[in-house]
Amino acid sequence: MTDERVSANGGMETSFGFREVGAGEKQPLVNDVFHKVAKRYDIMNDVMSAGLHRVWKDAMIAALNPPRRESYRVLDVAGGTGDIAFRIVEASDRKAHATVLDINGSMLAVGAERASKKKLSPNLDFVEANAEDLPFAANSFDAYTIAFGIRNVPRIDVALKEAYRVLKRGGRLLVLEFSDVEMPLLDRFYDAWSFNAIPKFGKLITGDDAPYQYLVESIRKFPNQRDFAAMIKDAGFSRVSFTNYTGGIAALHSGWKI
């Protein structure tokens, strides 16, 4: 279904899955999706990736390789439930500090509760804000991470420019996102799984298939690996690269502020 994808020139701003919406309408619709799935978000990711999201996230943290020093600061965007931030803090031997930013208060509430149970609260803070308008000074963070969230941001180009702004010189951007399957046969299987199985599992788990239908459609609308890499370069980043996981079901994008 690669013909559904938007290009590096944009198009996600008015795309709510396969449905076109008016300017400014997408964000409230996306917010509603995540209010509905917040308490079952990890289960949702397990369903959508057959559990592989955990392996991909571990690989993302390995690529980041956070240093074991207290001055290291990471901004994890669209990371409300804390999944990536917790991994970063643990990988730094609980030295690093992670700011978890999400536009959705329900997701942040889940993350804050989980952080308290894991006794990680001293290393974390939770901020409700928009990725397109970050409430931080320029040159504030050593790294910016976002996992499976960038495709839900209406103006991706604006969010990437904000990422560049808040990173320090030498800072790194890492974006983990579902992508364009590049392995023959796997792409057909994945399409069948996504459009036939995932919404049905979603309804069984949550009683509502609509959020899952949007999420699988949003994956197919998101720019392919090369187009998204071009968007990262356009935002000012250098040494831009990507690594496919599981034949391109997901990809990790990297860029540096030099």
Side-chain angles (χ1 to χ4, degrees):
M1 296 211 176
T2 52
D3 58 328
E4 298 284 353
R5 295 186 185 278
V6 304
S7 71
N9 296 322
M12 294 295 284
E13 302 89 341
T14 56
S15 167
F16 183 70
F18 291 161
R19 177 157 62 99
E20 286 296 306
V21 297
E25 292 182 6
K26 178 175 179 175
Q27 192 64 69
L29 291 169
V30 171
N31 289 350
D32 185 57
V33 167
F34 285 95
H35 282 307
K36 289 177 179 177
V37 303
K39 292 185 177 179
R40 296 179 181 268
Y41 183 68
D42 286 337
I43 296 174
M44 179 191 76
N45 277 336
D46 280 327
V47 169
M48 294 187 69
S49 70
L52 286 170
H53 75 101
R54 301 173 187 274
V55 177
W56 300 333
K57 288 173 180 176
D58 288 343
M60 180 184 193
I61 304 309
L64 180 63
N65 191 23
R68 294 165 176 79
R69 55 180 171 85
E70 294 179 359
S71 61
Y72 190 72
R73 294 288 183 269
V74 180
L75 176 62
D76 183 45
V77 176
T81 61
D83 223 20
I84 294 298
F86 298 162
R87 283 173 164 82
I88 291 171
V89 170
E90 294 286 16
S92 73
D93 286 343
R94 301 198 174 202
K95 295 287 196 304
H97 187 278
T99 296
V100 181
L101 182 139
D102 204 297
I103 200 169
N104 191 290
S106 297
M107 298 285 281
L108 289 167
V110 172
E113 182 179 354
R114 291 180 67 201
S116 179
K117 289 179 180 178
K118 292 176 177 287
K119 301 189 184 323
L120 291 173
S121 298
N123 297 80
L124 297 159
D125 59 279
F126 293 83
V127 176
E128 186 172 348
N130 193 323
E132 297 175 5
D133 186 19
L134 298 175
F136 309 110
N139 308 306
S140 295
F141 295 95
D142 297 287
Y144 176 116
T145 58
I146 180 168
F148 306 117
I150 194 72
R151 75 182 190 281
N152 299 309
V153 177
R155 296 184 298 167
I156 294 172
D157 57 335
V158 175
L160 290 172
K161 288 174 183 175
E162 276 290 271
Y164 187 87
R165 181 183 67 82
V166 301
L167 279 171
K168 299 174 183 177
R169 290 288 171 186
R172 190 178 188 187
L173 168 77
L174 281 178
V175 182
L176 179 62
E177 188 54 84
F178 290 109
S179 201
D180 189 14
V181 179
E182 298 184 335
M183 186 178 293
L185 299 181
L186 179 61
D187 58 345
R188 295 181 185 178
F189 170 80
Y190 186 57
D191 275 343
W193 168 257
S194 297
F195 289 99
N196 297 322
I198 288 176
K200 291 177 182 177
F201 275 113
K203 189 165 187 176
L204 284 172
I205 294 166
T206 68
D208 188 0
D209 61 352
Y212 291 81
Q213 188 66 39
Y214 157 71
L215 289 165
V216 297
E217 290 177 2
S218 68
I219 291 169
R220 295 313 187 281
K221 293 293 290 186
F222 189 70
N224 67 27
Q225 292 90 323
R226 288 155 194 83
D227 281 342
F228 185 55
M231 294 178 74
I232 294 173
K233 289 179 183 177
D234 286 345
F237 288 94
S238 302
R239 294 168 57 191
V240 174
S241 63
F242 66 85
T243 302
N244 280 337
Y245 295 151
T246 319
I249 292 178
L252 180 66
H253 287 262
S254 173
W256 297 82
K257 181 176 178 178
I258 296 176

